[in-house]
Amino acid sequence: MHFISGWRRSAAVITAIRSLSVKRLLCSVGSEDDTIFALSSGQGRCGVAVVRVSGPASAHAVRSLTRGFPAARVASLRSITHPQTRELLDRGLVLWFPGPGSFTGEDSAEFHIHGGPAVISGVLQALGSLPGLRPAEAGEFTRRAFCAGKLDLTEVEGLGDLIHAETEAQRRQALRQMAGDLGRIYQDWRVRLKRCLAHVEAFIDFSEDELIEDGILNDVDTAVRQLQTDMENHLSDQRRGERLRSGVQVVIAGSTNAGKSSLLNMLTQRPAAIVSATAGTTRDVVEVPLDIGGYPVLLSDTAGLRDTTDSVEQEGVRRARQRVEQADLSLVVVDLTQLPSEPQLVPVFLSEHLKNILEPSSHRQQCILILNKSDLSSAEHNRSIQASLACSADVPDACFLSCHTRDGLEDLLTLVQNRLKTLCLCVEGVVTH
Amino acid sequence: MLVRRLRFPKRLSTCSTASDIHTQHYDVIVVGGGHAGTEAVAAASRVGAKTLLITQKIQTIGALSCNPSLGGVGKGHLVKEIDALDGVMGQAGDWAGIHFSILNRSKGPAVWGPRTQLDRQRYKDFIQSELLSTHNVTILEGSVQDLLMTTADPEKPGRHKVYGIRLAHGGGEIHSRSVVLTTGTFLSGTLFIGQNTSPGGRMADPPSCAGLSHTLKEVLGLKVGRLRTGTPPRIIKDTIDFSLTRIHLPDPSPTPFSFMNTHTHCKPEEQLPCYLTYTTPGVERVVKESNQHNSHIQQDTKGPRYCPSIESKVLRFPGRQHQVWLEPEGLTSDLMYPQGLSMTMPPEKQICLIKEIPGLQRAKISTPGYGVQYDFVCPTQLFPWLQVKSTQGLFLAGQINGTTGYEEAAAQGLWAGVNAGRTSLSKPPVSLSRTQSYIGVLIDDLIGRGVTEPYRMFTSRAEFRTALRPDNADLRLTLRGFEEFGCVSEQRYNEALRVQVSLNDALSALKSIHLSASRWKYKLGDVNISETKSSILNGVDMLQYKEVSFQMLASAFPELSGLYLEFSERLKAEAIYSPHCEKQRKEIERIQAEESLYLPEDIDYLTLPVSLSQEVREILDSIRPSTLGAAARLSGITPAAIVHLFNYVHRNKHRNRSKTVGVS
């Protein structure tokens, strides 16, 4: 042959690995350049949720969602807005932990927000819309902490179990999702995506003369675009899919001391909200998941709407208004005894009152008027009010109720149930198209 | 200046006979003279090992048992890589090719498939004279009866150790440090034609000795499976009416496989055409009629999915037309090879079938088609350097590992040869990552996933295919082949260095040209750059446009012409893929980091005192991944399992240090 032995410069750079580096393995599982985020306070309903961000783009994330960069390691109250739509997502505490002095050793941040599913998913979606950010994998925060030398090996022992638990939780969650209509949609996407992949692979693997149909790439292109459109439509369905997952948002609103919390307690059949005779008792939003006639409902009680100088109550009022705006269905509670004594004046009064409560939102049709404390007014008076309301086109469906005697509860529940049916039908109709 | 011409085979006879061979000791013994065996012999000798090739018949060394062609999509990539590592196959193809074409030319250069029809005799001649004239190589005609086993070296992984072979028919023992088995279809091979079955590895050739199968299964305890394949009848050229077929011409200017060749042996105008015809409903009828007389088709052994017999095509996809390519067997051969008509029905039925095909109504068959079933060793039992995990010194390559195809066999042969040679010279084994080469993808797929049907290479199997192109195989492998593996000649190394420097110079020159879109339009004329594009574009950006070629740039900018013009196509490919390759770089680095973490070979996964599920333990125990990266890729292995596994390894690193095999 044309060469002779001995010419070879055998630069074998092959060495036995002396010590297997834990860090290299763990750090190599995900790319360290990514910034990750996740809900750290666990799934399920809770008062306060913590969303954690870690990685080089953490500061960018804080800047994109809030105004006024917080001081390091100090809780700062901030409005949290969506970086693209500028939609207000929540108002909550933001904490900034510059690396390397943080849990993960990287720049990181925490958003302490309200625990409602809509708020949480809003914030997670906002973070996901930022370049360089992606949802964390199971145990990834802990893994990064380990890479930064923040955990010792004993703690890493626990890491495996933690990751196991988290992947299990994710698996169960996925299973729940896969069981229903959503599962059918995702399965359909998966099949379509796989078909596209198979066609593209066949296109590159088999040459021109091997009978691959003409225009197959164009077909795949069309199919992928359609898939993209379908996914975008699914995601921008005005939270209808989420409503199906997390329940219909029903809010109880009204003036102070109209009996909103009593209504909540009656509906939940337990003292979920504190009820007292003092006006302004409920200063924050109280949320209770409920099942009404088989429909999942997230019922929230809000602070009574009034002008107040108490700063805490002011914030409660602001949140109440916001919640009314975001709700799928509002139950507006009115104190019968506060209505004008002339029945014919009641429709105009209520119309004005509703404007005040439901402003600036305009979905009046998604509202049920509850005339509370019917036991404090004569049956005859109530009948004439009812007759007067029936003639008025300006006032939504109304029903009489006494939270004290439970009179009228059945009628209210029937009314609510019918509304839920419409709302959820519309949800299912859209989701399974 | 380098000599850039075809290497012509030298006729030297250095063949040994059994009588003078026993007293000798070899570094490497290769059993089998097919595509895997010949590359293994050549590669082992290139790394400096004294190598012995044992084959049943010297005259069948380098024989093309089935189709007279080489390369194609995916397979062509392998040929380029074999050549980049100084293997024989590419040069043999350039010498024996008689119909060159680049498949997939309408698609991106990353999936182009260089391919050629071969002159069988020329191919065999080239391979034989190449091996016969190779320094350090001895060839022996004979049959291997068994492997010679001894006590394993306790310092190394493995329970057994091979120290040579015993020849059949009382031929005695020959000792060596490594043995490479490339038995092809000969391991417990059975031939099928109609209802007749007979032992054999190829028509007219007996199977390998039963002792070999027995040792692999019973002594070494290897998991062995069975696969099948087949070949079509050969047709006498003069009896074909080509006017009823469609002619298919080669590329007017043949592209050689080898990075060392600028032209092919066959002149462009000497190339022969192929012809295309189709099956008819009559073919389907004959297949159905003959089914009961066809024992091969009734077996449930898995055959090659992408090269199915006409029987399986018709039964699986009835009512369709199937392509039949009539390919020349050589410049002077009077036979044609009907690709797509592999069949195992009785010979008289084969004639009936052929006559149902346009152009073949009066055709005569010289040798009938037949099927073969053979043993393969489940490749999950191999290290990435193709050594059997349980057996020191034993390497496997080719169809014995469950692959199909000349190119797949040759690629493994080369890699087994390099490592058998290195091990015999007490050098550490080497492995190729799937991020660097199709050979790496092939081996990683085999050892990581095993096979359920004959494995064929495809571009879609390589996730980093935009970086693993046929055009850049030399840059990916030749430099490392010389510097790290020691299997590349200095001449080839210098040539690869020259190419690398030239390409880098040309790319820098291109990048240094900065013009606005309108200036580029002015310079290049009819180029569809959007006018609104206000940014400044450099020469590489421009080369990414479909209608812009390097020649166009070179004529617009004289400083680019001269030396660089010979790399026009390569520069175009570099430019097209550079943004995508950059995106994949991180992913590649991640995989390489995981692959550098080796798992000790002696882990007993079933009793490991670590929190692992039984399912995970069984997967790890059966596959026994070499690295944590390989373990992480296994289906069914959870992230938690990887952490626990890693933690265990880390804690025991001091104890395991001496037993850990590490390869960069």
Side-chain angles (χ1 to χ4, degrees):
Chain A
M1 215 161 175
H2 62 293
F3 57 75
I4 46 154
S5 36
W7 50 263
R8 228 164 264 112
R9 183 158 61 83
S10 183
V13 292
I14 295 123
T15 49
I17 304 275
R18 282 187 307 276
S19 84
L20 290 163
S21 151
V22 186
K23 286 183 188 177
R24 278 183 69 193
L25 166 77
L26 293 171
C27 298
S28 67
V29 175
S31 174
E32 305 96 314
D33 293 352
D34 291 349
T35 298
I36 52 170
F37 63 89
L39 175 65
S40 310
S41 51
Q43 297 289 340
R45 298 175 204 293
C46 44
V48 175
V50 178
V51 173
R52 196 181 265 173
V53 184
S54 178
S58 297
H60 175 66
V62 171
R63 249 179 244 118
S64 303
L65 267 64
T66 63
R67 259 188 285 179
F69 200 81
R73 293 175 295 278
V74 174
S76 319
L77 184 65
R78 292 285 185 274
S79 291
I80 299 165
T81 51
H82 194 284
Q84 273 91 48
T85 64
R86 312 310 310 171
E87 178 196 0
L88 181 68
L89 301 167
D90 196 16
R91 203 168 152 75
L93 297 179
V94 179
L95 289 104
W96 165 245
F97 304 100
S102 67
F103 168 63
T104 57
E106 304 173 319
D107 282 355
S108 47
E110 285 180 7
F111 295 89
H112 293 222
I113 53 176
H114 291 94
V119 174
I120 294 170
S121 77
V123 171
L124 292 179
Q125 274 177 24
L127 287 170
S129 74
L130 296 172
L133 269 76
R134 63 168 173 81
E137 289 163 23
E140 202 172 0
F141 282 101
T142 321
R143 208 156 62 203
R144 290 193 179 199
F146 181 80
C147 294
K150 303 277 176 178
L151 300 176
D152 64 23
L153 267 178
T154 343
E155 288 172 292
V156 180
E157 288 263 282
L159 175 59
D161 297 328
L162 174 74
I163 292 174
H164 175 71
E166 284 192 21
T167 35
E168 260 304 291
Q170 282 174 0
R171 189 183 63 80
R172 283 199 304 270
Q173 191 189 1
L175 277 180
R176 280 198 297 274
Q177 290 200 355
M178 291 311 285
D181 295 336
L182 286 173
R184 274 195 290 281
I185 295 179
Y186 299 155
Q187 194 62 32
D188 171 57
W189 288 350
R190 182 169 167 269
V191 169
R192 285 159 67 189
L193 209 50
K194 273 169 66 180
R195 196 181 300 134
C196 289
L197 198 61
H199 285 167
V200 172
E201 291 189 352
F203 178 77
I204 59 168
D205 281 337
F206 296 97
S207 65
E208 295 89 346
D209 52 21
E210 286 181 281
L211 297 177
I212 299 295
E213 294 89 348
D214 288 340
I216 194 162
L217 263 203
N218 290 336
D219 294 350
V220 167
D221 204 40
T222 315
V224 170
R225 276 175 211 285
Q226 184 59 49
L227 198 53
Q228 188 185 356
T229 312
D230 289 355
M231 288 178 174
E232 279 166 0
N233 287 345
H234 178 77
L235 289 174
S236 66
D237 65 352
Q238 277 83 42
R239 298 188 179 153
R240 276 173 294 219
E242 184 190 78
R243 215 188 282 155
L244 190 71
R245 292 188 291 270
S246 318
V248 181
Q249 304 268 338
V250 177
V251 69
I252 302 175
S255 306
T256 48
N257 227 14
K260 300 178 295 298
S261 300
S262 305
L263 176 62
L264 177 83
N265 286 348
M266 194 169 71
L267 289 174
T268 59
Q269 294 159 345
R270 62 193 166 95
I274 309 154
V275 189
S276 81
T278 318
T281 305
T282 304
R283 294 183 173 189
D284 204 337
V285 179
V286 177
E287 269 182 353
V288 186
L290 268 185
D291 182 308
I292 298 181
Y295 294 99
V297 166
L298 192 66
L299 186 64
S300 15
D301 184 15
T302 59
L305 299 173
R306 67 169 180 186
D307 293 331
T308 170
T309 49
D310 181 330
S311 62
V312 177
E313 199 189 338
Q314 270 175 352
E315 173 64 11
V317 169
R318 198 194 60 74
R319 283 188 187 179
R321 289 198 184 279
Q322 190 187 20
R323 188 53 69 97
V324 170
E325 209 180 318
Q326 292 169 349
D328 299 312
L329 176 65
S330 305
L331 305 179
V332 178
V333 185
V334 176
D335 186 346
L336 254 179
T337 60
Q338 302 293 314
L339 293 181
S341 48
E342 290 294 324
Q344 56 268 42
L345 297 179
V346 169
V348 181
F349 173 84
L350 283 177
S351 181
E352 284 306 310
H353 183 68
L354 280 177
K355 260 186 210 157
N356 183 33
I357 287 180
L358 299 178
E359 269 330 6
S361 79
S362 55
H363 39 251
R364 174 165 297 199
Q365 67 283 8
Q366 288 170 18
C367 160
I368 294 174
L369 196 54
I370 297 166
L371 305 173
N372 192 23
K373 310 190 186 176
S374 62
D375 54 320
L376 298 181
S377 153
S378 76
E380 195 188 330
H381 183 64
N382 291 352
R383 267 197 298 278
S384 45
I385 291 176
Q386 199 164 14
S388 171
L389 287 176
C391 305
S392 166
D394 261 349
V395 180
D397 288 348
C399 68
F400 288 82
L401 178 72
S402 165
C403 288
H404 188 60
T405 65
R406 303 173 75 92
D407 260 347
L409 179 61
E410 282 313 310
D411 290 350
L412 173 65
L413 284 177
T414 312
L415 199 56
V416 170
Q417 211 170 307
N418 286 339
R419 289 296 188 89
L420 290 175
K421 196 173 170 183
T422 335
L423 281 165
C424 284
L425 267 184
C426 132
V427 169
E428 283 161 6
V430 169
V431 169
T432 56
H433 59 87
Chain B
M1 191 62 195
L2 285 160
V3 183
R4 309 193 71 223
R5 57 176 179 82
L6 270 176
R7 254 182 317 118
F8 291 87
K10 288 148 266 180
R11 298 239 166 234
L12 283 170
S13 189
T14 59
C15 187
S16 302
T17 53
S19 56
D20 61 323
I21 227 156
H22 297 140
T23 50
Q24 306 228 25
H25 183 101
Y26 291 88
D27 294 322
V28 177
I29 294 175
V30 176
V31 182
H35 303 284
T38 51
E39 288 292 352
V41 169
S45 80
R46 287 202 301 280
V47 299
K50 190 176 159 197
T51 308
L52 173 69
L53 169 62
I54 304 177
T55 177
Q56 287 186 355
K57 282 186 198 165
I58 286 183
Q59 66 180 74
T60 59
I61 289 175
L64 301 158
S65 305
C66 195
N67 53 314
S69 60
L70 185 69
V73 184
K75 289 167 173 280
H77 290 66
L78 287 173
V79 179
K80 296 294 275 190
E81 292 186 358
I82 290 164
D83 185 67
L85 290 168
D86 225 352
V88 188
M89 184 169 254
Q91 307 235 20
D94 289 344
W95 177 256
I98 52 173
H99 173 122
F100 288 85
S101 63
I102 304 254
L103 305 183
N104 258 350
R105 181 110 44 192
S106 64
K107 300 156 198 172
V111 295
W112 284 2
R115 185 180 187 276
T116 187
Q117 297 298 141
L118 296 169
D119 182 310
R120 285 183 191 280
Q121 195 57 46
R122 279 192 181 180
Y123 190 86
K124 208 157 78 171
D125 286 349
F126 185 95
I127 297 280
Q128 288 180 12
S129 42
E130 187 73 37
L131 292 188
L132 288 171
S133 62
T134 299
H135 170 70
N136 257 348
V137 169
T138 310
I139 300 176
L140 173 69
E141 197 167 88
S143 229
V144 171
Q145 187 180 50
D146 210 345
L147 297 169
L148 301 175
M149 311 299 298
T150 182
T151 330
D153 177 353
E155 293 299 306
K156 291 179 186 163
R159 300 185 299 279
H160 312 279
K161 184 179 181 176
V162 164
Y163 74 98
I165 56 103
R166 176 179 292 108
L167 290 167
H169 317 300
E173 295 183 353
I174 308 176
H175 296 185
S176 68
R177 291 169 187 271
S178 303
V179 173
V180 185
L181 289 184
T182 68
T183 51
T185 57
F186 285 68
L187 196 61
S188 306
T190 310
L191 303 179
F192 287 75
I193 180 161
Q195 283 171 307
N196 297 328
T197 62
S198 56
R202 180 168 49 208
M203 197 58 96
D205 291 321
S208 46
C209 293
L212 209 49
S213 301
H214 178 264
T215 300
L216 292 177
K217 280 190 252 190
E218 309 301 331
V219 180
L220 302 182
L222 293 175
K223 205 175 136 205
V224 170
R226 209 144 167 84
L227 292 171
R228 70 171 178 192
T229 187
T231 195
R234 309 302 195 266
I235 297 174
I236 295 165
K237 196 175 185 175
D238 292 344
T239 63
I240 299 173
D241 181 359
F242 289 109
S243 68
L244 296 174
T245 64
R246 211 175 77 204
I247 190 163
H248 184 89
L249 296 172
D251 288 352
S253 162
T255 314
F257 285 99
S258 177
F259 289 98
M260 300 302 280
N261 288 336
T262 52
H263 59 276
T264 59
H265 180 48
C266 185
K267 293 194 179 71
E269 65 278 10
E270 287 170 357
Q271 296 187 93
L272 295 179
C274 295
Y275 301 88
L276 178 62
T277 181
Y278 292 92
T279 61
T280 59
V283 168
E284 205 164 316
R285 183 175 44 78
V286 176
V287 167
K288 284 177 181 159
E289 282 168 11
S290 65
N291 233 351
Q292 62 210 30
H293 309 292
N294 193 338
S295 17
H296 191 62
I297 202 75
Q298 289 155 6
Q299 308 271 331
D300 51 4
T301 314
K302 286 280 172 56
R305 178 187 295 269
Y306 303 100
C307 188
S309 65
I310 188 65
E311 291 98 331
S312 30
K313 275 193 277 196
V314 159
L315 296 175
R316 182 139 185 232
F317 303 105
R320 289 198 204 179
Q321 271 195 336
H322 299 279
Q323 287 185 331
V324 177
W325 287 95
L326 302 174
E327 304 176 344
E329 294 240 320
L331 280 180
T332 55
S333 169
D334 56 356
L335 298 179
M336 292 297 274
Y337 175 94
Q339 193 218 301
L341 285 188
S342 156
M343 60 179 88
T344 56
M345 59 184 67
E348 62 278 10
K349 287 289 176 187
Q350 297 193 12
I351 296 166
C352 298
L353 188 147
I354 295 282
K355 290 189 186 307
E356 297 292 335
I357 294 172
L360 302 181
Q361 283 91 345
R362 273 179 280 278
K364 290 205 171 94
I365 289 177
S366 80
T367 46
Y370 62 94
V372 57
Q373 291 193 4
Y374 54 96
D375 279 354
F376 77 100
V377 174
C378 293
T380 53
Q381 302 165 100
L382 302 177
F383 285 124
W385 46 95
L386 297 178
Q387 184 207 317
V388 175
K389 285 178 180 172
S390 67
T391 311
Q392 298 164 8
L394 182 61
F395 295 78
L396 308 179
Q399 277 167 305
I400 193 172
N401 291 339
T403 61
T404 172
Y406 303 155
E407 302 82 355
E408 288 82 350
Q412 294 170 67
L414 184 147
W415 205 241
V418 164
N419 280 299
R422 290 181 62 92
T423 323
S424 71
L425 301 172
S426 304
K427 291 176 185 170
V430 285
S431 44
L432 281 172
S433 162
R434 65 184 298 125
T435 62
Q436 295 159 337
S437 62
Y438 274 73
I439 302 179
V441 171
L442 168 71
I443 294 172
D444 191 52
D445 282 353
L446 290 176
I447 65 172
R449 301 178 188 182
V451 295
T452 52
E453 60 183 43
Y455 179 101
R456 179 199 153 158
M457 183 43 74
F458 282 112
T459 54
S460 62
R461 298 196 194 273
E463 48 277 71
F464 304 111
R465 60 185 158 268
T466 54
L468 311 184
R469 302 189 306 269
D471 68 80
N472 66 7
D474 53 346
L475 299 188
R476 291 186 277 119
L477 295 172
T478 304
L479 306 180
R480 296 187 67 204
F482 180 79
E483 293 165 1
E484 291 175 42
F485 313 145
C487 67
V488 167
S489 73
E490 193 163 7
Q491 183 196 10
R492 185 182 281 270
Y493 176 68
N494 287 332
E495 169 63 4
L497 279 181
R498 183 188 76 89
V499 169
Q500 188 183 43
V501 168
S502 308
L503 282 174
N504 287 343
D505 286 354
L507 286 170
S508 324
L510 281 169
K511 280 180 187 156
S512 69
I513 304 172
H514 293 93
L515 293 178
S516 68
S518 52
R519 285 291 297 161
W520 276 115
K521 276 201 145 176
Y522 172 76
K523 276 274 189 186
L524 298 179
D526 193 22
V527 175
N528 189 24
I529 321 167
S530 81
E531 281 288 7
T532 52
K533 208 159 192 175
S534 54
S535 61
I536 300 293
L537 299 166
N538 69 34
V540 175
D541 298 332
M542 287 311 296
L543 206 46
Q544 286 165 12
Y545 280 91
K546 199 172 181 183
E547 60 268 60
V548 176
S549 67
F550 182 75
Q551 287 91 336
M552 284 167 71
L553 295 174
S555 47
F557 300 91
E559 66 265 36
L560 292 176
S561 53
L563 274 181
Y564 303 145
L565 271 178
E566 67 171 305
F567 300 113
S568 298
E569 281 206 342
R570 294 189 63 163
L571 287 166
K572 178 83 185 166
E574 285 291 333
I576 294 173
Y577 292 109
S578 63
H580 193 258
C581 291
E582 183 53 32
K583 271 188 209 161
Q584 283 195 326
R585 189 181 50 84
K586 269 188 205 162
E587 177 68 8
I588 289 176
E589 283 170 3
R590 183 181 70 83
I591 290 185
Q592 286 175 346
E594 284 177 355
E595 282 175 350
S596 67
L597 295 168
Y598 277 73
L599 291 169
E601 289 309 330
D602 57 352
I603 291 189
D604 180 358
Y605 290 107
L606 297 179
T607 59
L608 198 66
V610 165
S611 162
L612 294 174
S613 72
Q614 192 57 30
E615 185 192 356
V616 165
R617 285 176 193 275
E618 282 168 14
I619 295 169
L620 290 170
D621 185 59
S622 70
I623 306 284
R624 305 197 70 82
S626 299
T627 65
L628 273 165
R633 276 199 296 281
L634 294 175
S635 96
I637 300 294
T638 60
I642 290 295
V643 171
H644 282 309
L645 196 58
F646 175 76
N647 201 19
Y648 171 80
V649 172
H650 185 79
R651 279 171 182 271
N652 292 277
K653 67 179 177 181
H654 298 295
R655 189 177 62 80
N656 284 323
R657 185 177 294 172
S658 61
K659 294 177 184 173
T660 305
V661 185
V663 178
S664 82

